[in-house]
Coordinates of all heavy atoms in Angstrom, one line a residue:
M258 N 81.6 87.7 103.4 CA 81.4 88.5 104.6 C 82.6 89.4 104.8 O 83.7 89.0 104.5 CB 81.2 87.6 105.8 CG 81.0 88.4 107.1 SD 80.6 87.2 108.4 CE 79.4 88.2 109.3
K259 N 82.4 90.6 105.2 CA 83.4 91.6 105.5 C 83.7 91.7 107.0 O 82.8 91.8 107.8 CB 83.1 93.0 104.9 CG 82.9 92.9 103.4 CD 82.5 94.3 102.9 CE 82.3 94.2 101.4 NZ 81.9 95.4 100.8
K260 N 85.0 91.6 107.3 CA 85.4 91.7 108.7 C 86.6 92.6 108.8 O 87.5 92.6 108.0 CB 85.8 90.3 109.2 CG 84.6 89.3 109.4 CD 85.1 88.0 109.9 CE 84.0 87.0 110.0 NZ 84.4 85.7 110.4
P261 N 86.7 93.3 110.0 CA 87.9 94.1 110.2 C 89.1 93.2 110.4 O 89.0 92.1 111.0 CB 87.6 94.8 111.5 CG 86.2 94.6 111.8 CD 85.7 93.4 111.1
M262 N 90.3 93.6 109.9 CA 91.5 92.9 110.0 C 92.4 93.7 110.9 O 92.5 94.9 110.7 CB 92.2 92.6 108.7 CG 93.5 91.9 108.8 SD 94.3 91.6 107.2 CE 93.4 90.3 106.6
F263 N 93.1 93.1 111.9 CA 93.9 93.7 112.8 C 95.3 93.1 112.9 O 95.5 92.0 112.5 CB 93.3 93.6 114.2 CG 91.9 94.2 114.4 CD1 90.8 93.4 114.1 CD2 91.7 95.5 114.7 CE1 89.5 93.9 114.2 CE2 90.5 96.0 114.8 CZ 89.4 95.2 114.6
A264 N 96.2 93.9 113.4 CA 97.6 93.4 113.7 C 98.1 94.3 114.8 O 97.7 95.4 115.0 CB 98.5 93.5 112.4
V265 N 99.0 93.7 115.5 CA 99.7 94.4 116.6 C 101.0 94.9 116.0 O 101.8 94.1 115.4 CB 100.0 93.5 117.8 CG1 100.8 94.3 118.9 CG2 98.6 93.1 118.4
F266 N 101.3 96.2 116.2 CA 102.5 96.8 115.7 C 103.5 96.8 116.9 O 103.2 97.2 118.0 CB 102.3 98.2 115.2 CG 103.5 98.9 114.7 CD1 104.0 98.5 113.4 CD2 104.2 99.8 115.4 CE1 105.2 99.1 112.9 CE2 105.4 100.4 114.9 CZ 105.8 100.0 113.6
D267 N 104.7 96.2 116.6 CA 105.8 96.2 117.6 C 106.6 97.5 117.4 O 107.3 97.6 116.3 CB 106.7 95.0 117.4 CG 107.8 94.8 118.4 OD1 108.3 95.9 118.9 OD2 108.2 93.7 118.7
N268 N 106.5 98.4 118.3 CA 107.1 99.7 118.2 C 108.7 99.7 118.3 O 109.3 100.6 117.8 CB 106.6 100.7 119.2 CG 105.1 100.9 119.1 OD1 104.7 101.4 118.1 ND2 104.3 100.5 120.1
V269 N 109.2 98.6 118.8 CA 110.6 98.4 118.9 C 111.2 97.8 117.6 O 112.2 98.3 117.1 CB 111.0 97.6 120.1 CG1 112.5 97.3 120.2 CG2 110.6 98.2 121.4
A270 N 110.6 96.7 117.2 CA 111.0 96.1 115.9 C 110.6 96.9 114.7 O 111.2 96.6 113.6 CB 110.5 94.7 115.9
K271 N 109.6 97.7 114.8 CA 109.0 98.5 113.7 C 108.4 97.6 112.7 O 108.6 97.8 111.5 CB 110.1 99.4 113.1 CG 110.7 100.4 114.0 CD 109.8 101.4 114.6 CE 110.4 102.4 115.4 NZ 109.6 103.0 116.4
L272 N 107.7 96.5 113.2 CA 107.1 95.6 112.3 C 105.7 95.2 112.8 O 105.4 95.3 114.0 CB 107.9 94.3 112.3 CG 109.3 94.3 111.7 CD1 110.0 93.0 112.0 CD2 109.3 94.6 110.2
Y273 N 104.8 94.8 111.9 CA 103.5 94.3 112.3 C 103.6 92.8 112.5 O 104.2 92.1 111.8 CB 102.5 94.6 111.2 CG 102.1 96.1 111.1 CD1 102.7 96.9 110.2 CD2 101.1 96.6 111.9 CE1 102.4 98.3 110.2 CE2 100.7 97.9 111.8 CZ 101.4 98.7 111.0 OH 101.0 100.1 110.9
M274 N 102.9 92.3 113.5 CA 102.8 90.9 113.8 C 101.8 90.3 112.8 O 101.1 91.1 112.0 CB 102.4 90.6 115.2 CG 103.4 91.1 116.2 SD 102.8 90.8 117.9 CE 104.3 90.7 118.7
A275 N 101.6 89.0 112.8 CA 100.6 88.4 111.9 C 99.2 89.0 112.1 O 98.7 89.1 113.2 CB 100.6 86.9 112.2
P276 N 98.5 89.3 111.0 CA 97.2 89.8 111.1 C 96.2 88.8 111.5 O 96.4 87.6 111.4 CB 96.9 90.3 109.7 CG 97.8 89.5 108.8 CD 99.0 89.2 109.6
F277 N 95.1 89.3 112.1 CA 94.0 88.4 112.5 C 92.6 89.1 112.2 O 92.6 90.4 112.2 CB 94.1 88.0 113.9 CG 94.1 89.1 114.9 CD1 92.9 89.4 115.6 CD2 95.2 89.8 115.2 CE1 92.8 90.4 116.5 CE2 95.2 90.9 116.2 CZ 94.0 91.2 116.8
L278 N 91.6 88.4 112.0 CA 90.2 88.9 111.8 C 89.5 88.9 113.1 O 89.6 88.0 113.9 CB 89.5 88.1 110.8 CG 90.1 88.0 109.4 CD1 89.3 87.1 108.5 CD2 90.2 89.4 108.8
E279 N 88.6 89.8 113.3 CA 87.7 89.9 114.4 C 86.4 90.5 113.9 O 86.3 90.9 112.8 CB 88.3 90.7 115.6 CG 89.0 90.0 116.6 CD 88.2 88.9 117.4 OE1 86.9 89.0 117.4 OE2 88.8 88.0 117.9
V280 N 85.4 90.5 114.8 CA 84.1 91.0 114.4 C 84.0 92.5 114.5 O 83.4 93.2 113.7 CB 83.0 90.3 115.3 CG1 81.6 90.8 115.0 CG2 83.1 88.8 115.2
T281 N 84.6 93.1 115.6 CA 84.6 94.5 115.8 C 85.9 94.9 116.5 O 86.7 94.1 116.9 CB 83.5 94.9 116.8 OG1 83.7 94.4 118.1 CG2 82.1 94.5 116.3
D282 N 86.1 96.2 116.6 CA 87.3 96.8 117.3 C 87.3 96.2 118.8 O 88.3 95.9 119.3 CB 87.3 98.3 117.3 CG 87.6 98.9 116.0 OD1 87.8 98.2 115.0 OD2 87.5 100.1 115.9
G283 N 86.1 96.2 119.4 CA 86.0 95.8 120.7 C 86.4 94.3 121.0 O 87.0 94.0 122.0
T284 N 86.0 93.5 120.0 CA 86.4 92.1 120.2 C 87.9 91.9 120.0 O 88.5 91.0 120.6 CB 85.5 91.1 119.3 OG1 85.7 91.5 117.9 CG2 84.1 91.1 119.7
A285 N 88.4 92.7 119.1 CA 89.9 92.7 118.9 C 90.6 93.1 120.2 O 91.6 92.5 120.6 CB 90.3 93.5 117.7
V286 N 90.1 94.1 120.8 CA 90.7 94.6 122.1 C 90.6 93.5 123.1 O 91.6 93.2 123.8 CB 90.0 95.9 122.6 CG1 90.4 96.2 124.0 CG2 90.4 97.1 121.7
R287 N 89.5 92.8 123.2 CA 89.3 91.8 124.2 C 90.3 90.6 123.9 O 90.9 90.0 124.8 CB 87.9 91.2 124.2 CG 87.6 90.2 125.2 CD 86.2 89.8 125.2 NE 85.7 89.3 123.9 CZ 84.4 89.3 123.6 NH1 83.5 89.8 124.4 NH2 84.1 88.9 122.4
A288 N 90.5 90.3 122.6 CA 91.4 89.2 122.3 C 92.8 89.5 122.7 O 93.6 88.7 123.2 CB 91.4 88.9 120.8
I289 N 93.2 90.8 122.6 CA 94.5 91.2 123.0 C 94.6 91.2 124.5 O 95.7 90.8 125.1 CB 94.9 92.6 122.4 CG1 95.0 92.5 120.9 CG2 96.2 93.2 123.0 CD1 96.0 91.5 120.3
Q290 N 93.6 91.7 125.2 CA 93.6 91.6 126.7 C 93.8 90.2 127.2 O 94.6 89.9 128.1 CB 92.3 92.1 127.2 CG 92.2 93.6 127.2 CD 90.8 94.1 127.7 OE1 89.8 93.6 127.3 NE2 90.8 95.0 128.7
D291 N 93.2 89.2 126.5 CA 93.3 87.8 126.9 C 94.7 87.3 126.6 O 95.3 86.6 127.4 CB 92.3 86.9 126.1 CG 90.9 87.1 126.6 OD1 90.7 87.7 127.7 OD2 90.0 86.7 125.9
A292 N 95.3 87.8 125.5 CA 96.7 87.4 125.2 C 97.7 88.0 126.1 O 98.8 87.5 126.3 CB 97.0 87.7 123.7
A293 N 97.4 89.2 126.6 CA 98.4 90.0 127.4 C 98.5 89.6 128.9 O 98.3 90.4 129.8 CB 98.1 91.5 127.3
K294 N 98.7 88.3 129.1 CA 98.8 87.8 130.4 C 100.0 86.9 130.6 O 100.5 86.3 129.6 CB 97.5 86.9 130.8 CG 96.3 87.8 130.8 CD 95.0 87.0 131.1 CE 93.8 87.9 131.1 NZ 92.6 87.2 131.2
G295 N 100.5 86.7 131.8 CA 101.6 85.8 132.1 C 102.9 86.2 131.5 O 103.3 87.4 131.6
D296 N 103.5 85.3 130.8 CA 104.8 85.5 130.2 C 104.8 86.1 128.8 O 105.8 86.2 128.1 CB 105.6 84.2 130.2 CG 106.2 83.8 131.5 OD1 106.2 84.7 132.4 OD2 106.5 82.7 131.7
H297 N 103.6 86.4 128.3 CA 103.5 86.9 126.9 C 104.2 88.3 126.8 O 104.2 89.1 127.8 CB 102.0 87.1 126.6 CG 101.8 87.3 125.1 ND1 102.0 88.5 124.4 CD2 101.3 86.4 124.2 CE1 101.8 88.3 123.2 NE2 101.3 87.1 123.0
P298 N 104.9 88.5 125.7 CA 105.5 89.8 125.5 C 104.6 91.0 125.7 O 105.1 92.1 126.2 CB 106.1 89.8 124.1 CG 106.3 88.3 123.8 CD 105.1 87.6 124.6
F299 N 103.3 90.9 125.4 CA 102.4 92.0 125.7 C 102.3 92.4 127.1 O 102.2 93.5 127.5 CB 101.0 91.7 125.2 CG 100.8 91.5 123.7 CD1 99.7 90.9 123.2 CD2 101.8 91.8 122.8 CE1 99.5 90.7 121.9 CE2 101.6 91.6 121.4 CZ 100.5 91.0 121.0
A300 N 102.4 91.4 128.0 CA 102.4 91.6 129.4 C 103.7 92.1 130.0 O 103.8 92.9 130.9 CB 102.0 90.3 130.2
K301 N 104.8 91.6 129.4 CA 106.1 92.0 129.9 C 106.6 93.4 129.4 O 107.3 94.1 130.1 CB 107.2 91.0 129.4 CG 107.1 89.6 130.1 CD 108.2 88.7 129.6 CE 108.2 87.4 130.3 NZ 109.3 86.6 129.9
H302 N 106.1 93.7 128.2 CA 106.6 95.0 127.6 C 105.4 95.7 126.9 O 105.4 96.0 125.7 CB 107.7 94.8 126.6 CG 108.8 94.0 127.1 ND1 109.8 94.5 127.9 CD2 109.1 92.7 126.9 CE1 110.7 93.6 128.2 NE2 110.3 92.4 127.7
P303 N 104.3 96.0 127.7 CA 103.1 96.6 127.0 C 103.4 97.9 126.3 O 102.7 98.2 125.4 CB 102.2 96.7 128.2 CG 103.0 96.8 129.4 CD 104.2 95.9 129.1
E304 N 104.4 98.6 126.7 CA 104.7 99.9 126.1 C 105.2 99.8 124.7 O 105.3 100.8 124.0 CB 105.6 100.7 127.0 CG 107.0 100.2 127.0 CD 107.2 99.0 128.0 OE1 106.3 98.6 128.7 OE2 108.4 98.4 128.0
D305 N 105.6 98.6 124.3 CA 106.2 98.4 123.0 C 105.1 98.0 121.9 O 105.5 97.9 120.7 CB 107.1 97.2 123.1 CG 108.4 97.5 123.9 OD1 108.6 98.6 124.2 OD2 109.1 96.5 124.2
F306 N 103.9 97.9 122.2 CA 102.9 97.4 121.2 C 101.7 98.2 121.1 O 101.2 98.8 122.1 CB 102.5 96.0 121.7 CG 103.6 95.0 121.8 CD1 104.1 94.7 123.0 CD2 104.2 94.4 120.7 CE1 105.2 93.8 123.2 CE2 105.2 93.5 120.8 CZ 105.7 93.2 122.0
T307 N 101.1 98.3 119.9 CA 99.9 99.0 119.5 C 99.0 98.2 118.7 O 99.5 97.6 117.6 CB 100.3 100.3 118.8 OG1 101.2 101.1 119.5 CG2 99.0 101.1 118.5
L308 N 97.8 98.0 119.1 CA 96.8 97.3 118.2 C 96.3 98.2 117.1 O 95.9 99.4 117.4 CB 95.6 96.9 119.1 CG 94.4 96.2 118.3 CD1 94.9 94.9 117.7 CD2 93.2 96.0 119.3
T309 N 96.4 97.8 115.9 CA 96.0 98.5 114.7 C 95.0 97.8 113.9 O 95.1 96.6 113.6 CB 97.3 98.8 113.8 OG1 98.3 99.5 114.6 CG2 97.0 99.6 112.6
R310 N 94.0 98.6 113.4 CA 93.0 98.0 112.4 C 93.7 98.3 111.1 O 93.9 99.4 110.7 CB 91.7 98.7 112.5 CG 90.7 98.1 111.5 CD 89.3 98.8 111.4 NE 88.9 99.6 112.5 CZ 89.0 100.9 112.6 NH1 89.5 101.6 111.7 NH2 88.5 101.5 113.7
L311 N 93.9 97.2 110.3 CA 94.6 97.3 109.0 C 93.6 97.7 108.0 O 94.0 98.3 106.9 CB 95.3 96.0 108.6 CG 96.4 95.6 109.6 CD1 96.9 94.2 109.1 CD2 97.5 96.6 109.6
G312 N 92.3 97.4 108.2 CA 91.3 97.6 107.2 C 90.2 96.6 107.3 O 90.1 95.9 108.3
I313 N 89.4 96.6 106.2 CA 88.3 95.6 106.2 C 88.6 94.6 105.1 O 88.8 94.9 103.9 CB 87.0 96.3 105.8 CG1 86.7 97.5 106.8 CG2 85.8 95.3 105.8 CD1 86.5 97.0 108.2
Y314 N 88.6 93.3 105.6 CA 88.9 92.2 104.7 C 87.6 91.6 104.2 O 86.6 91.3 104.9 CB 89.7 91.1 105.5 CG 89.9 89.9 104.7 CD1 90.8 89.9 103.6 CD2 89.3 88.7 105.0 CE1 91.1 88.8 102.9 CE2 89.6 87.5 104.3 CZ 90.5 87.6 103.2 OH 90.8 86.4 102.5
D315 N 87.5 91.4 102.9 CA 86.3 90.8 102.2 C 86.6 89.3 102.0 O 87.5 89.0 101.2 CB 86.0 91.5 100.9 CG 84.7 91.0 100.3 OD1 84.4 89.8 100.4 OD2 84.0 91.9 99.7
E316 N 86.0 88.4 102.7 CA 86.2 87.0 102.7 C 85.8 86.4 101.3 O 86.4 85.4 100.9 CB 85.5 86.3 103.8 CG 86.1 86.6 105.1 CD 85.3 85.9 106.3 OE1 84.0 85.9 106.3 OE2 86.0 85.2 107.1
E317 N 84.9 87.0 100.6 CA 84.5 86.5 99.3 C 85.5 86.9 98.2 O 85.8 86.0 97.4 CB 83.1 87.0 99.0 CG 82.0 86.4 99.9 CD 80.6 87.0 99.7 OE1 80.4 87.7 98.7 OE2 79.7 86.7 100.5
S318 N 86.0 88.1 98.2 CA 86.8 88.5 97.1 C 88.3 88.4 97.5 O 89.2 88.5 96.6 CB 86.5 90.0 96.7 OG 86.9 90.9 97.8
G319 N 88.6 88.4 98.8 CA 90.0 88.3 99.2 C 90.7 89.7 99.2 O 91.9 89.8 99.4
S320 N 89.9 90.7 99.1 CA 90.5 92.1 99.0 C 90.5 92.7 100.4 O 89.7 92.3 101.3 CB 89.7 93.0 98.1 OG 88.3 93.1 98.6
L321 N 91.4 93.6 100.6 CA 91.5 94.4 101.8 C 91.4 95.8 101.5 O 92.2 96.4 100.8 CB 92.9 94.1 102.5 CG 93.2 94.8 103.8 CD1 92.2 94.4 104.9 CD2 94.6 94.6 104.2
N322 N 90.4 96.5 102.1 CA 90.2 97.9 101.9 C 90.8 98.6 103.1 O 90.3 98.4 104.2 CB 88.7 98.2 101.8 CG 88.4 99.7 101.6 OD1 89.1 100.5 102.2 ND2 87.4 100.0 100.9
Q323 N 91.8 99.4 102.9 CA 92.5 100.0 104.0 C 92.1 101.5 104.3 O 92.8 102.2 105.0 CB 94.0 100.0 103.7 CG 94.6 98.6 103.8 CD 96.1 98.6 103.8 OE1 96.7 98.8 102.8 NE2 96.7 98.4 105.0
D324 N 90.9 101.9 103.8 CA 90.4 103.2 104.0 C 90.2 103.5 105.5 O 90.3 104.6 106.0 CB 89.1 103.5 103.3 CG 89.3 103.6 101.8 OD1 90.5 103.7 101.3 OD2 88.3 103.5 101.0
S325 N 89.9 102.4 106.3 CA 89.6 102.6 107.7 C 90.8 102.2 108.6 O 90.7 102.0 109.8 CB 88.4 101.7 108.1 OG 88.8 100.3 108.0
K326 N 92.0 102.2 108.0 CA 93.2 101.8 108.8 C 93.4 102.8 109.9 O 93.3 104.1 109.7 CB 94.5 101.8 107.9 CG 95.7 101.4 108.7 CD 96.9 101.3 107.8 CE 98.1 100.8 108.6 NZ 99.3 100.7 107.8
A327 N 93.6 102.3 111.2 CA 93.8 103.2 112.3 C 94.4 102.5 113.5 O 94.1 101.3 113.7 CB 92.4 103.8 112.7
D328 N 95.1 103.2 114.3 CA 95.6 102.7 115.6 C 94.3 102.6 116.5 O 93.6 103.6 116.6 CB 96.6 103.5 116.2 CG 98.0 103.4 115.5 OD1 98.2 102.5 114.7 OD2 98.8 104.3 115.7
I329 N 94.1 101.5 117.2 CA 93.0 101.3 118.0 C 93.3 101.6 119.5 O 92.6 102.4 120.1 CB 92.4 99.8 117.9 CG1 92.0 99.5 116.5 CG2 91.2 99.6 118.9 CD1 91.0 100.4 115.9
I330 N 94.4 101.0 120.0 CA 94.8 101.2 121.4 C 96.2 100.8 121.6 O 96.7 99.8 121.0 CB 93.8 100.5 122.4 CG1 93.9 101.0 123.8 CG2 94.0 99.0 122.3 CD1 92.8 100.6 124.7
E331 N 96.9 101.5 122.5 CA 98.2 101.1 122.9 C 98.0 100.0 124.0 O 97.2 100.1 124.9 CB 99.0 102.2 123.5 CG 99.3 103.3 122.4 CD 100.1 104.5 123.0 OE1 100.4 104.5 124.2 OE2 100.4 105.4 122.2
I332 N 98.8 98.9 123.9 CA 98.6 97.8 124.8 C 98.8 98.2 126.2 O 98.2 97.7 127.1 CB 99.6 96.6 124.4 CG1 99.4 96.2 122.9 CG2 99.4 95.4 125.3 CD1 98.0 95.9 122.5
K333 N 99.7 99.2 126.5 CA 99.9 99.6 127.9 C 98.7 100.1 128.5 O 98.5 100.1 129.7 CB 101.0 100.6 127.9 CG 100.7 102.0 127.3 CD 101.9 102.9 127.4 CE 101.6 104.2 126.7 NZ 102.7 105.1 126.7
Q334 N 97.7 100.6 127.7 CA 96.4 101.0 128.3 C 95.5 99.9 128.7 O 94.7 100.0 129.6 CB 95.7 101.8 127.2 CG 96.3 103.2 126.9 CD 95.6 103.9 125.8 OE1 95.9 103.7 124.6 NE2 94.6 104.7 126.2
L335 N 95.8 98.7 128.2 CA 95.0 97.5 128.5 C 95.5 96.8 129.8 O 94.8 96.2 130.5 CB 95.0 96.5 127.4 CG 94.3 97.0 126.1 CD1 94.5 96.0 125.0 CD2 92.9 97.4 126.3
V336 N 96.9 96.8 129.9 CA 97.4 96.0 131.0 C 97.9 96.8 132.2 O 98.2 96.3 133.2 CB 98.6 95.1 130.5 CG1 98.1 94.1 129.5 CG2 99.7 95.9 130.0
G337 N 97.9 98.1 132.0 CA 98.3 99.0 133.1 C 99.8 99.0 133.2 O 100.5 98.2 132.7
E338 N 100.3 100.0 133.9 CA 101.7 100.1 134.2 C 102.0 100.5 135.6 O 101.2 100.9 136.3 CB 102.4 101.1 133.2 CG 102.4 100.6 131.8 CD 103.3 101.5 130.9 OE1 103.2 102.7 131.0 OE2 104.2 100.9 130.2

């Protein structure tokens, strides 16, 4: 099965966090909204993070096609400022 792979880019550290799989861009956004609460760094410094689709991961072959790599949303748009 092929699924989109995402990671959050830390604009201050200039690094991607650990990647994760989701079903769609929308479910990835929802997962980040759920994480961006309380004492989480996403909630404390939302301007520092961007959700990025890294590409499409093929669970059968283990390959990652990065033709669809794109920034999805800045975390500050999800938590408000």
Side-chain angles (χ1 to χ4, degrees):
M258 180 174 219
K259 295 179 182 178
K260 293 182 181 173
M262 180 181 281
F263 301 89
V265 173
F266 184 73
D267 183 328
N268 298 299
V269 174
K271 304 295 185 206
L272 297 171
Y273 287 94
M274 296 178 156
F277 62 97
L278 300 177
E279 265 299 339
V280 179
T281 66
D282 290 357
T284 59
V286 169
R287 182 174 58 202
I289 296 301
Q290 281 177 310
D291 289 345
K294 296 180 180 173
D296 284 341
H297 196 284
F299 296 165
K301 289 182 173 182
H302 308 283
E304 68 281 356
D305 293 347
F306 302 100
T307 304
L308 175 63
T309 302
R310 182 187 334 102
L311 298 177
I313 304 298
Y314 177 69
D315 187 324
E316 292 178 310
E317 293 177 8
S318 69
S320 64
L321 177 65
N322 180 326
Q323 289 192 286
D324 290 344
S325 66
K326 183 176 180 181
D328 289 344
I329 302 302
I330 195 165
E331 294 178 359
I332 306 306
K333 67 182 178 184
Q334 294 177 269
L335 298 176
V336 298
E338 288 193 313

